[in-house]
Structures are given as C-alpha cells and as structure tokens.
Amino acid sequence: SRRASSALVSMAQVVIEHKKGEVNELKATLRNPAVDRDPEKKREVVKRVIAYMTLGIDVSKLFSEMIMATSSKDHVIKKMVYLYICNYAATNPDLSLLAINTLQKDCRDDDPMTRGLALRSFTSLRLPNIVEYLPGVIQAGLRDQSPYVRKTAVLSCLKMHNYSADALASSDMVNQLYTMLRDRDPQVVTNCINALNEILAAEGGMAINKPIIHHLLNRIKEFNEWSQCVVLELVARYKPESPQETFDIMNLLEERLRHSNSAVVLAATKVFLELTQDMPQVHAQVYARLKAPMMTLIAGGVFEQGFICLKHIALLTTRVPDVFAAEYKHFYCKYNEPSCVKLLKLDILTAVATQATVPEIVDEIAEYITEPDANVARAAVAAIGKLGVRVPECGGGVVEQLLKLLEVDIDHVSAEAIIAMKNLLRKFPDRIERFIGGIGTFFRNIDEPDAKVALLWMVGEYGHVIPEAPYLLEPLIDNFAEETSQAVRLELLAATVRLFFRRPAELQQMLGRLLDAAIADASFTDVHDRAMLYYRLLQLDLGAAERILCRSEHVSGQFVEEVPSELQDRIFEEFNSLAVIYGEPSERFVKPELLQVRRVATNGNGASNGAAGHAGAGGGSDDDESDEESDEEPTAAPPPPPAFAKSSEEKRTAQHAHDEHCASLLVTLLHQLTGERRRRLLGKLAEGDCEKLERLLRLHFSYTERVELAAEAALAVSEVGRGGEEDEDELDDAVYLARTGAGLRTLQLVDTALCYVAGSRAKPLLGRLLHGLYEGGASLHSVWGNADEHLKTCDGGDEPLPDAAEQRSVSEMGEAVRALLSRYKSADDAEGEGGDDRVEGSADAAASSAGPE
C-alpha cells in the first residue's frame, strides 16, 4: 500500500494540461534519441503518457512508439508500457500484433521479474488471435524456476480459460495445475486452488481426496493468512472416510483456532462444524471448544472485526445459547462502540440470559435507555421485554422495570416500553393488574402510532377490567378523521368492536359513530373494508360475530420470532460468509449464475465427472485401482443432505399447502364481492406492471406441468403393474388421485381466479392474461376447462356455494368467459391459417373486444 501511495503522489505531481498538439509533442519526444538514451527522462515521458491515459485522454496514436519502448531494461518503464498495451489492445488489434514478438521474447528473459510481467501482460491482451500463442508461454511459465513466474502462469491458465475454454481443455494444463499443488511455494499452491475451483466450477470445483487434503493440512503453517483461508474452505468441503480421520484433521487444525487473524479462526470454525455434523456428541463439544477463540476475537478492540465475530456468535446462540451463557458480561455495551455493535450485543444478551442472570442483565440494559442514539435506546427497552417473555420466572422484575421506564420523560423510551408490555401481556395476561392504573395517562401522553396501537390492543383485550376503557376510546372515535395512521385506525376499529361485546350499553353509540366515520372515509381502503366487514358481521349474526372477533390473542407457546426457522438453518449452512453478516441466504444477494456454481462446488467433495478424473493426477495417489478404472466413466457422489434443513418433501408439501390456501382465499373473495368492490380487488392484480397477475400465471404453468406429469406417471405405473389389464374405473381413480396429490385443486383454484380476470372486461388485464397464456403455450380454453371442473364440483359436491349471491357471481363469470371464448374462436377463424401470428392475433382481437379499459 505504501508503494501504491507513493505512485499516486508521484502521479499527482505530473502537470496535466491537455492542450492542442500535446500528444504530438509526446510522440516526438518518445522518438527523440536523446530521450531514449536517458532512462530517467524516458521514464518521465512514459509516466506522462500513462497519466494522460488515466485521465481518459486518447493517446492511442502513441501505440507504435510505446511498443518500441518495451526494449528498455528498466522494470518501471516496462510495467507502464505493458499497462498501456493492455489498455489499448482491444481498440488496436492490428497494432497489438506488433507487441506479440516483443512479449514472447520478454517471456524468455533472464530476469524473472521481466518474465513474470511479460507473461501477465501477454495473457491480458484480450485478443482472439493470440490464443494460439498462449499455451506455449504458459507451459513454459508453469515450469519456470522462479515462484513469481509460476504463480503468474497459474493465473494465466485461468485467463486462458476465460478466453477459450476449449483451448485449455485440449491442453494438459489442468493436470499440471493438480500436480503443482505440491509446489514448494505456498502462493503457487494457493493460486492453483483458486484457478482449479474456477476452471472446474461447472464440474463441481476442484476435485479433492485424502492425499490432497492431508498434504495441504501438513503444510498449512507455511501459508499466509489469506492462503490458509483458501485451504480451510477446501477442507470444509471434504468428507472424511472415518471418525479417526476426522479427529486427525481436527488435531491438525487445533492451532488455527488460536490464530490472531479472525478470518482464519472463522474458517477453522466452519471446518470443525462441517466435519462433526454427523457426530452429535462431538458436535456439541465443538461448540464449547469454539467459545474461547470467539470471545478472544470480540475483545480485540477493532470494531469491524468484533462486529463480524458477534454476528457469528449471534448465529451460534440460536442453536446453543447455553454455551455463551456464562460469558454474558462480555456482551455488555461499551460507551465508545458503534451503534451496530451495541444492537447486536443486545440481541445476544437476550439469547444467552438465564434465570440466574436476568436481574443483573436487566439492570445493565436499563442504563442504555439514555443513549444518544434513539435506535439503541429503543432496542434496550425491547430487549428488557424479550427477557420477560423468554424467562417467565423473572417476569415480575421485568414488569417493574418497564413500569419505571414508562415514567421516564423520553418519548421513544415510553413508547417502546408500552410495546414491550403488550408483548408480555400476550404471553402472561395475568400481569395486567400492575398496568391498569396508569393506562389513561399513557393515552394522553403517547403520540407514536405503534405505541397507540399497543394501548388500543390492551383496551380491547382487557377493557372488561379497566373501568374507564370506553371513555379512553371516545376521544379517538370523535377525532377519527384527524388520525393519520392507518394502523391506529384499524386497531381502534378492532378494539371498539371487541369491547362492544363486553360492555354493549356504553359502546353501542360509539361503535355506530365509528363505523359510520370509517365507512364514509375512503382515504384508507383497508380501513374502509374492515369497517364494512365488521358492520355486515354485526348485521348478520351477533353470536357468530362475537365468536369470530373476540377470540383470545394470548400466546401459549413461543412467538413466531423465537421458533427456529428454516431461514436460520440455511444461513447456518453458509457459515463464514456474507450470508451471516447480511442475515439472508446467498441467493438473495448473489447473481443466480454465480450461486449455481457455488452450490455445485459445495455438494460433497467436488468429485464430478470431469473433476474426478483429475483427482488422481494431482493427489499423488499410486493406487492401482485408479488405472484399472480409467476406462470407465466415473460417477459423481450424490450430494449430502443439508445439515440443518427440512427435507425437500416437507418443503414441497408446505409450499403446496401455502399456494392452495392463498388461491382459495382469492377465489372466495371473488365469489363474494360484487360490483365496484370486485373491480377494486381485480385492480390490485394490475399493480406493479401486473406483477400479481404474472404470479398467478406462473402458478398455472407450474401446477399444470406437475399435474400432467403425475397423470402420466400413474398411467405408466398402472400399465407396468397390471400389464394393461387394469379395470378402467380403477385406472381413472388412480389417475385422479395422482393428479389431486400433485396439486389439481390448487390448479383449479388458480384457473378460476384467472377466469374472473378474463370475465372482468378490463382490457389491460385481459390482454396481459391472453398474451401470457399464449407465450406459455396454453390457452383460455384449458383454463376455463379446469375452472369449470372446479365449479361443477362446488355446485354439486362436497363444497357447495353457500348463497345465491355467490352462485350468481359464478354464473355471470361463466357467461362472460364463454362469450369471450366464442369471440376468441371467431378471431382465430378470421385470421385463417397464420401459424403463431394467427394465435397471437386472435389474443389481440379478443382483448380488444373486451370493451373499455
């Protein structure tokens, strides 16, 4: 970095004044024999050319003169000239050919620095016609005596792969790279690992076996920190052959856990966790062994390093909070730490707290409410509430602390304390007695919407034991139009309705005024719709409305946030990566093509068909079996199941249930809504460039394919099992059951929703629907066929439509779709025999005939 800074300062001293004729003057200067004889002057001229190039000034006219300057013995001049040639090679391919002979000559120079610079520049020219020259110079570089040239040649193999993968595959360079894993220079070995992983990414990355891994581990002390991380990442992919080998590897890496570099420690931690995932008892001991190095790293004094280690500790505490429970004092916040570190420490404190340590932790966290950063103060109050939920035995002390915080004259602290109290009451409703006395004061002093929502929830849930509850709601009802928060309006509606069933005499008139105001005010669609729902429920059946709206919201088990989630499992699989820092799986922030390569590389030992063939060459193994089996095509080992994830079948079943539930809700709403309300619901499908409609179309195509494949599989099984003699009715039943299991009901529900879209006569939606079906190779006829099958089942089967209004909605939709299908057919006939254009034209015609937008 010091050398780079010196170069920048030197570059800044060059006076850059681009005047007319300046480039011509440089050209004349480069041709001046006097300058050519003086290395210092020539260096200054070349430096000026590079400065111009860096500023974006076109100096390509100097290409011939700069190529002639490569004859200099000065390494500084050579480096700048090579930089110039690589920069302008793509725009001057013909002139760049002049440099090939010079570069080839420099690749055979006596000075290893010159050879390395020439090789690096030669392989960076980005010219298609130099590929034929590369194998020779790269092969020579791989055999060079200088480690600098060898490590440059290794990376040149990767550049050649990017230019022409076929040219590299036809050479023997990949096998040479495997052989060079035993090179005496550690940096050469590291470059070989990186190059092989990228070159063989499509085959699963570099192939690894026992000789390779043990050789690298025995030499790991020779590598620098970053090279050790590369080796450890490779070891994390290795699957030992026996428990004894696992213990041998862990013994070799024991010292890496005491390394001063946090990257090495975390990489070794990942190795330990991966190696022992199939050994539960040892895996538990590994967590305990990792505690000391992790605690050492967070005490290093560097905030950035501490934050990364704390992120990994927070992930570990989701699985083994007891391991760090005794070290809770290490997670107390320091005054000079950045806010991100303080917030993370608060999360860890809530995770590792026990019944014995909660009182002390609560007292410590209570000191943080005066933090200048409001986010830290809010998080401190929320952490106190979480401790009361997580450790019920200490709930009394937590409630007392929250009541003290409610008296603090800091608005955001009081607001957050009310929210924390709400969460406590959801879990332990018996603690409302300590809170009843001051609830009226809080209503007058709290302005934050989230805190108001929490207070309204308490009034709705416990209004029967709060004497003044109706009169706390009355000012808010009278000033309903002035309330700007949608969340507060919704909670006010819910609380008033719930309290009405418990204290009807006092709330009847208030509820009527509130419903009138909410229904009349169209500023918030959700508030208007909720008010209409409550009004019709009350109008239809008071008993049913009470059963629906007054169900208890108390949580008997864990909150959703406390339950171990699949997301945490997926992040844990990517330990020691950015996924832990971001708190998201890598597919959410990595490009799909790169993610696919990474997934392939982490499936097992990287022994894919192509890579497995190279493993013997680089592993140093002398087994006779490899020669005997060389004529057979090696097969890749199946990837191991994810370490901490649900099975694929469980995920698929859960996804099917979710899709069916959402589709059922949508169809039910479309059945029940009429007129303007249905048009508003369908209008939501057009939001975001018809994003929701596109989602429905994707579901249609996905489930259509699944159902068809299931039907074909059932037919095939029936023919094989019974020899084609199975009774026809039994065969139909088998096919129907297979289709149903594959998601037939979900497909029918989705297609029913699409038919409502088609029958809505909304031109943008209809056009997008028809074109989407056409592009996917489907048609409105098939969609209507599935929907019609579902509607007939509802009409005469187990799920009849409940009232005449829904039957009328379905009938109107069916008539509209059938009319559209007839226009669709007539448009097809009018177009005549026009192939794909005919089909797309018919879609346009049908859409245009749908009426006004």
Side-chain angles (χ1 to χ4, degrees):
S1 60
R2 184 178 301 173
R3 186 179 300 175
S5 301
S6 176
L8 288 174
V9 172
S10 178
M11 189 72 73
Q13 293 173 348
V14 178
V15 180
I16 305 298
E17 295 179 0
H18 182 221
K19 297 178 290 185
K20 187 175 181 180
E22 188 79 12
V23 176
N24 291 330
E25 292 178 11
L26 287 173
K27 189 170 188 176
T29 305
L30 285 170
R31 290 183 174 182
N32 189 336
V35 172
D36 198 44
R37 288 192 296 267
D38 188 341
E40 290 297 328
K41 290 183 179 179
K42 190 164 187 175
R43 181 186 294 186
E44 290 301 318
V45 175
V46 174
K47 186 187 297 184
R48 196 175 185 85
V49 173
I50 299 301
Y52 274 44
M53 182 184 74
T54 305
L55 292 175
I57 299 171
D58 185 12
V59 288
S60 58
K61 294 168 61 176
L62 307 177
F63 204 90
S64 301
E65 288 73 18
M66 292 294 284
I67 288 179
M68 293 172 62
T70 56
S71 59
S72 172
K73 296 295 184 182
D74 189 337
H75 287 149
V76 176
I77 294 177
K78 276 186 177 292
K79 193 169 186 178
M80 290 190 291
V81 171
Y82 289 155
L83 175 64
Y84 174 92
I85 293 174
C86 292
N87 187 66
Y88 284 107
T91 56
N92 297 273
D94 296 333
L95 289 176
S96 299
L97 294 177
L98 300 175
I100 291 179
N101 289 335
T102 302
L103 289 170
Q104 284 182 312
K105 178 182 177 182
D106 285 349
C107 286
R108 298 188 297 270
D109 195 271
D110 293 336
D111 189 344
M113 182 64 70
T114 301
R115 296 199 300 272
L117 284 174
L119 180 57
R120 186 179 69 179
S121 303
F122 197 4
T123 53
S124 301
L125 289 179
R126 300 190 295 275
L127 295 175
N129 50 4
I130 68 164
V131 174
E132 58 184 294
Y133 301 100
L134 294 181
V137 294
I138 294 176
Q139 293 275 13
L142 294 175
R143 296 189 298 267
D144 200 279
Q145 294 297 315
S146 169
Y148 171 71
V149 179
R150 291 200 303 276
K151 71 178 185 180
T152 303
V154 170
L155 294 181
S156 298
C157 294
L158 184 55
K159 295 178 184 177
M160 184 176 174
H161 170 73
N162 294 331
Y163 295 151
S164 175
D166 294 337
L168 183 71
S170 62
S171 67
D172 194 40
M173 292 185 195
V174 172
N175 284 333
Q176 280 188 266
L177 292 179
Y178 273 106
T179 304
M180 292 179 69
L181 290 173
R182 295 181 175 274
D183 193 277
R184 60 183 178 274
D185 187 81
Q187 190 58 50
V188 174
V189 177
T190 304
N191 285 5
C192 286
I193 295 173
N194 289 327
L196 285 170
N197 277 330
E198 193 160 344
I199 292 171
L200 302 174
E203 302 178 358
M206 170 185 163
I208 51 181
N209 54 25
K210 184 175 180 179
I212 291 177
I213 293 299
H214 283 249
H215 170 73
L216 294 174
L217 288 176
N218 287 325
R219 294 186 57 191
I220 195 167
K221 294 182 181 180
E222 304 174 16
F223 294 82
N224 60 33
E225 287 89 346
W226 306 118
S227 298
Q228 288 183 32
C229 291
V230 173
V231 173
L232 291 171
E233 188 68 27
L234 199 66
V235 177
R237 289 166 42 197
Y238 178 63
K239 302 299 178 185
E241 298 174 356
S242 64
Q244 184 58 46
E245 185 182 358
T246 300
F247 293 128
D248 291 341
I249 293 175
M250 293 170 67
N251 288 333
L252 285 171
L253 294 178
E254 176 73 18
E255 191 175 347
R256 298 306 97 197
L257 292 176
R258 298 193 294 272
H259 203 282
S260 59
N261 188 289
S262 60
V264 175
V265 174
L266 289 175
T269 299
K270 181 177 181 179
V271 173
F272 276 60
L273 294 174
E274 290 289 339
L275 291 178
T276 60
Q277 60 181 329
D278 298 326
M279 307 164 67
Q281 294 183 347
V282 180
H283 197 69
Q285 295 174 13
V286 165
Y287 285 121
R289 176 63 186 87
L290 299 176
K291 180 175 69 172
M294 298 294 279
M295 301 307 298
T296 302
L297 289 175
I298 66 172
V302 180
F303 296 140
E304 293 80 0
Q305 173 182 298
F307 178 78
I308 292 171
C309 295
L310 285 169
K311 271 288 189 179
H312 286 80
I313 290 175
L315 182 62
L316 291 174
T317 56
T318 61
R319 295 188 175 276
V320 284
D322 295 341
V323 170
F324 296 93
E327 309 296 334
Y328 66 95
K329 290 186 178 180
H330 287 81
F331 303 113
Y332 285 172
C333 299
K334 300 177 182 177
Y335 75 95
N336 60 341
E337 289 177 331
S339 297
C340 60
V341 174
K342 293 179 180 179
L343 293 172
L344 196 50
K345 284 188 172 182
L346 287 171
D347 289 339
I348 296 173
L349 279 173
T350 59
V352 303
T354 62
Q355 183 177 354
T357 59
V358 162
E360 185 177 348
I361 292 176
V362 168
D363 291 341
E364 172 69 21
I365 295 179
E367 301 294 329
Y368 304 156
I369 64 169
T370 57
E371 281 281 337
D373 189 339
N375 291 327
V376 176
R378 287 178 181 273
V381 179
I384 293 175
K386 290 177 184 176
L387 288 172
V389 173
R390 187 173 175 275
V391 189
E393 297 82 1
C394 302
V398 169
V399 171
E400 293 298 327
Q401 186 64 58
L402 289 175
L403 290 174
K404 292 179 182 177
L405 295 179
L406 288 171
E407 300 173 1
V408 175
D409 190 20
I410 304 177
D411 292 341
H412 57 266
V413 172
S414 302
E416 199 65 38
I418 290 174
I419 297 171
M421 184 65 76
K422 172 199 170 184
N423 293 332
L424 266 174
L425 292 175
R426 288 183 63 197
K427 194 76 174 286
F428 311 108
D430 56 310
R431 290 176 182 153
I432 186 62
E433 300 295 336
R434 295 286 295 112
F435 195 64
I436 290 175
I439 197 167
T441 305
F442 302 143
F443 261 100
R444 291 188 293 271
N445 297 337
I446 295 297
D447 294 325
E448 290 196 15
D450 290 341
K452 278 187 177 181
V453 169
L455 286 171
L456 288 169
W457 177 86
M458 295 179 199
V459 171
E461 189 70 22
Y462 303 101
H464 57 288
V465 297
I466 303 176
E468 69 272 24
Y471 311 104
L472 295 175
L473 298 179
E474 189 170 16
L476 295 174
I477 294 173
D478 294 337
N479 298 318
F480 181 80
E482 300 175 8
E483 179 57 58
T484 58
S485 170
Q486 175 175 312
V488 173
R489 288 190 176 195
L490 289 172
E491 194 59 44
L492 178 60
L493 276 169
T496 306
V497 172
R498 291 166 72 89
L499 194 56
F500 165 74
F501 288 107
R502 292 165 180 171
R503 303 171 70 167
E506 298 167 281
L507 265 296
Q508 184 175 1
Q509 292 186 357
M510 293 185 197
L511 179 59
R513 297 202 308 271
L514 177 60
L515 290 176
D516 285 341
I519 293 172
D521 190 349
S523 55
F524 294 104
T525 304
D526 289 344
V527 176
H528 172 273
D529 292 348
R530 181 78 63 86
M532 287 296 298
L533 172 65
Y534 290 162
Y535 173 74
R536 290 181 177 173
L537 276 174
L538 294 169
Q539 188 180 43
L540 181 64
D541 188 338
L542 280 175
E546 184 176 7
R547 288 194 303 273
I548 294 171
L549 301 177
C550 292
R551 292 177 62 88
S552 175
E553 295 187 12
H554 298 145
V555 179
S556 57
Q558 292 179 303
F559 288 126
V560 173
E561 296 83 355
E562 299 174 331
V563 178
S565 65
E566 181 185 344
L567 179 65
Q568 291 176 343
D569 294 339
R570 290 162 63 190
I571 294 174
F572 202 91
E573 294 171 15
E574 302 183 60
F575 196 88
N576 191 31
S577 70
L578 284 176
V580 179
I581 308 302
Y582 292 160
E584 295 182 341
S586 55
E587 60 260 26
R588 297 188 183 179
F589 57 87
V590 178
K591 293 181 179 179
E593 58 271 17
L594 298 178
L595 184 64
Q596 183 62 30
V597 168
R598 189 174 184 274
R599 281 176 177 164
V600 171
T602 54
N603 280 340
N605 293 349
S608 62
N609 290 349
H614 300 299
S621 175
D622 298 327
D623 296 343
D624 295 333
E625 293 178 6
S626 61
D627 295 331
E628 294 173 4
E629 297 176 359
S630 60
D631 295 334
E632 299 179 8
E633 183 180 0
T635 57
F644 306 99
K646 296 179 180 179
S647 68
S648 58
E649 184 62 31
E650 290 174 339
K651 294 179 183 178
R652 187 160 52 248
T653 302
Q655 185 63 43
H656 285 185
H658 174 73
D659 292 342
E660 181 178 344
H661 176 68
C662 294
S664 178
L665 285 177
L666 177 60
V667 170
T668 301
L669 286 173
L670 290 170
H671 283 338
Q672 295 176 353
L673 300 180
T674 58
E676 179 63 25
R677 298 186 67 186
R678 186 192 293 169
R679 283 193 290 275
R680 284 163 57 191
L681 176 60
L682 291 172
K684 291 184 178 295
L685 298 179
E687 294 176 355
D689 194 24
C690 297
E691 179 182 357
K692 295 181 177 63
L693 178 60
E694 293 291 342
R695 168 67 175 158
L696 284 176
L697 285 170
R698 288 196 295 272
L699 286 174
H700 164 78
F701 290 121
S702 173
Y703 278 94
T704 297
E705 181 181 5
R706 294 177 189 176
V707 170
E708 291 175 352
L709 290 175
E712 293 174 3
L715 286 172
V717 169
S718 299
E719 291 176 1
V720 172
R722 300 295 182 88
E725 299 177 0
E726 185 178 10
D727 182 76
E728 186 174 349
D729 292 338
E730 293 182 3
L731 178 60
D732 290 343
D733 290 343
V735 172
Y736 179 76
L737 289 174
R739 295 175 70 219
T740 303
L744 175 62
R745 173 173 165 76
T746 305
L747 173 63
Q748 292 174 342
L749 288 169
V750 169
D751 286 355
T752 302
L754 292 177
C755 285
Y756 270 106
V757 173
S760 67
R761 305 182 68 83
K763 188 174 178 181
L765 282 173
L766 180 58
R768 181 64 71 91
L769 170 62
L770 295 178
H771 282 291
L773 292 172
Y774 158 72
E775 291 173 358
S779 68
L780 190 59
H781 293 82
S782 60
V783 172
W784 170 244
N786 292 328
D788 191 36
E789 183 179 358
H790 169 65
L791 295 173
K792 287 178 180 177
T793 303
C794 291
D795 193 30
D798 298 331
E799 304 176 19
L801 297 175
D803 55 30
E806 293 189 14
Q807 294 176 7
R808 186 166 56 252
S809 296
V810 171
S811 176
E812 292 173 356
M813 179 268 289
E815 292 176 3
V817 173
R818 281 190 289 269
L820 182 61
L821 287 173
S822 64
R823 289 196 295 272
Y824 200 129
K825 186 174 185 304
S826 63
D828 281 351
D829 296 339
E831 289 290 332
E833 300 294 331
D836 290 343
D837 295 335
R838 175 183 63 79
V839 177
E840 188 170 9
S842 66
D844 292 333
S848 63
S849 64
E853 182 175 342

